[in-house]
Amino acid sequence: MTTIRDVARVAGVSPATVSRVVNGLVGYSTETQQRVEAAIATLNYEPDTLARGLKTKQTAVIGVLAPVVSDALASEIMSGVEAAARLHGYSVMLGRTGPSSTYASSYLRTLRTYRAAGVILISAAVTPEMRRVLGSNVPLMSVAIRDGHRFPSLAIDDEAAAYDGTRHLIAQGHRRIGLLAGDPASVLVNTVRTRGYVRAMAEAKLTPLVESGNSLYDSAPPALGRLLARDAELTAVFALSDEMGAAVVNELQRMGRRVPDDISVLGFDNTRTSLHVYPALSTIAQPLERMGELAVERLLASESLSGGPVPRILPHRLIERGSTARFIE
Amino acid sequence: MTTIRDVARVAGVSPATVSRVVNGLVGYSTETQQRVEAAIATLNYEPDTLARGLKTKQTAVIGVLAPVVSDALASEIMSGVEAAARLHGYSVMLGRTGPSSTYASSYLRTLRTYRAAGVILISAAVTPEMRRVLGSNVPLMSVAIRDGHRFPSLAIDDEAAAYDGTRHLIAQGHRRIGLLAGDPASVLVNTVRTRGYVRAMAEAKLTPLVESGNSLYDSAPPALGRLLARDAELTAVFALSDEMGAAVVNELQRMGRRVPDDISVLGFDNTRTSLHVYPALSTIAQPLERMGELAVERLLASESLSGGPVPRILPHRLIERGSTARFIE
DNA sequence: TTGTAAGCGTTATCAC
DNA sequence: GTGATAACGCTTACAA
């Protein structure tokens, strides 16, 4: 391994000067700079991150924690995080927290000892415990979930998004619209979205009809069954995740019902999954990649490395594909 | 931040002794150990990874590099990597290399300066350049792609897997079987699988029929069109990725052909995607999570931290779901 | 069984 | 404009 002293020796200067050149500080002649740069090039020198971090009490790593790593939603956010991190010269450290943030503390502790520059929590809320474990120097934020006002977060307006989705179905002429919600325990996302649906239904003087799954594919068919049992005349189902939406499309097909002719299906998230069914799933899009990128910007902004302020709430958007259609009595 | 000296002071011992206790070395009395542990607990001490790594020239970091982070195949492997890494007390550093390993060198350089314990390359072959950049101390291996014998890798036997898939369709009575291959540039995976298909067809005295996409969803419909243009009587399509398989199922449906009644579709990989279509995709399963776990084991075995030898070739397995059926003339 | 001290590779403070 | 030198927090000979 070649060190800063090797470079210094070859360039005929002191380690201090090499350090200045490497870090773009002031205090050396152009000629010295060239000699140092030449030496760096010939020796193929690369500063040691560990030594540097030990000295400066900072490393260019960003932690990303998600309940499930292989989940489509999390992957797309992670993809954005990775892109923005690389752009700024940061690296990404990945961790799975498990469904109830079980391993979060352990990862946070590790991240602290690595002197991470910041931590992003996907689909999970920051808790005081997490904040405590991480120490006060490291910025920590949630993405894809809206924490009250206690901790920073970046997400869409879930209430409005669900409201808009429901409004859209109503505008298409649907009157009997069932909601296939996610895990009721997920208050910050699921309860809030459900509220948006209920509000839209109430405003249109329609009867809300809600059944819950757990956001995953397999939970949808039984929940759909319960929905249909309560109202066999349903003409639209609003699923609060694309996985459930896809499952509903497929299950309906299996039951011999045509989508969207007999029944419309609307999903949520606009993950790749929404494109994998036929007809393709209409859905409420969250700007997932963008959320990942912006989360990084926010984190780096906290240490004033980057530009202006980053919004806390991002726009959602309805994407119409084949699974929804106008309902004519 | 509390350091080893703080602990030493509180416990009334030297930093060296604290270090011994922390690292489970020998050379201290039970009584000392208890005092040290008590001090650690009260101070909530956590050893600094950076300082330790600087000294020992090793950190508990495993690098994972994939062409695309948000890809289902890569995510599932990463999930296995994360699990095994955590189990052994390692952390995972994530990087996207881009389609042609464009950013690989840059990430490898970073990983070297972090003194990573090893690097896993998903769906990409190790090149001499990569090996050079990473330095000779850090183990590096490919997973989900079989490198010749030059660099370590962990994958299924792609030739045999494609052969078996084709044989299965033949055994079901299919005679006109089209192959929807991935990117022809991907020699190590795609060419090898194609060879397996061709061999099975030849052995059964059937005419191979091959068209290529790029493994992604969107590339499949046009390729399917070309396949059908060359033989309108096709009764089975073997797609070399689940994404393409799913696209074929959906496209066939759009064209008004019934799956599997009119035409069978077989996918490859057994990613979540194979479950997201109706009928669910029969597919050749790769043990993706397991591959990620085993890759970690292999890496750690190189530094003799772990148990016995890890296989280089993993078993594939045919999973029959709804998209394939027996063909009766 | 325990402590002292050197040193890992860097940066930052101070002289010159 | 440049160079000594002292940390950063840890491990590890070596001494005691």
Side-chain angles (χ1 to χ4, degrees), chain B residues 35 83 119 127 131 136 164 199 203 209 245 252 255 259 324:
Chain B
R35 281 222 312 285
V119 180
T127 65
R131 196 50 280 184
S136 44
D164 289 349
R199 179 162 65 90
E203 282 181 12
L209 186 60
L252 251 12
M255 293 165 50
V259 175
T324 48

Side-chain angles (χ1 to χ4, degrees), chain A residues 1 46 48-49 61 82 92 94 96 107 109 113-115 217 250 253-254 275-278, chain B residues 1 46 48-49 61 82 92 94 96 103 107 109 113-115 217 250 253-254 275-278:
Chain A
M1 236 210 63
E46 200 84 35
D48 184 300
T49 320
V61 343
E82 190 278 341
V92 173
L94 177 67
R96 186 178 74 97
Y107 268 115
R109 229 185 308 274
T113 74
Y114 273 101
R115 294 231 169 70
Y217 193 91
N250 291 337
Q253 213 144 133
R254 203 186 59 74
L275 294 166
H276 291 165
V277 287
Y278 181 77
Chain B
M1 236 210 62
E46 199 81 37
D48 185 301
T49 320
V61 170
E82 190 277 341
V92 172
L94 177 67
R96 186 177 74 97
Y103 311 127
Y107 267 115
R109 230 185 308 274
T113 74
Y114 272 102
R115 294 230 168 71
Y217 193 91
N250 291 337
Q253 211 144 136
R254 203 187 59 75
L275 293 166
H276 292 165
V277 287
Y278 181 78

